[in-house]
Amino acid sequence: MGDREDRKARNEAVFRTLNERIRAVVDELSLAGIVDEREVSEYLCECAAADCLERIMLTPAEYELARATPIRFVIAPGHVAVEVERVVHETDRFMIVEKHPGERQIAAATDPRREQPGE
Ligand SMILES: [Zn+2]
């Protein structure tokens, strides 16, 4: 894997971590009865482009679909980087992509839902 691909994978991991925080906030708001679990909330595109700040609207269930495995990321339609990932789910609001085998190690190692050694 080249440096460029490596940087892309890490970039996606940063946005995934931010989205996990958004998801946690949505969870708290819904527990407090402030938002409805079926409503969409604003998440960040997890694509490989370093300068992408695109927002995507997802329900908690749609977001969870992306988090089902550590090698999946949720992105804005058309933001797929075919050299590192393939599309596994597509709607008019978002796409879910899955990393190619060579990229999976970083994706899995940076998964915020995985217990990090030493933390
Ligand atoms: Zn993007």
Side-chain angles (χ1 to χ4, degrees), residues 3 8 12 33 39 41 46 56 60-61 72-73 78 82 85 89 95-96 99 101 115 118:
D3 282 352
K8 279 184 181 173
E12 290 171 321
E39 275 175 34
S41 304
E46 298 174 357
I56 34 180
R72 285 189 185 177
F73 292 85
V82 289
E85 62 210 6
H89 188 82
M95 280 178 164
I96 292 173
K99 296 284 127 191
E115 250 182 67

Side-chain angles (χ1 to χ4, degrees), residues 17-88:
T17 300
L18 293 173
N19 279 343
E20 282 290 271
R21 293 187 193 157
I22 295 170
R23 176 71 183 97
V25 170
V26 170
D27 222 22
E28 283 191 29
L29 292 175
S30 108
L31 279 174
I34 296 164
V35 301
D36 189 310
E37 265 281 307
R38 291 159 299 184
E39 275 175 34
V40 292
S41 304
E42 196 175 82
Y43 289 86
L44 300 161
C45 175
E46 298 174 357
C47 82
D51 56 351
C52 177
L53 291 171
E54 193 127 329
R55 308 292 205 274
I56 34 180
M57 302 304 287
L58 303 169
T59 66
E62 287 168 341
Y63 179 73
E64 288 302 321
L65 201 61
R67 287 294 86 87
T69 99
I71 57 167
R72 285 189 185 177
F73 292 85
V74 61
I75 61 171
H79 287 212
V80 57
V82 289
E83 68 273 27
V84 292
E85 62 210 6
R86 69 184 178 94
V87 178
V88 292

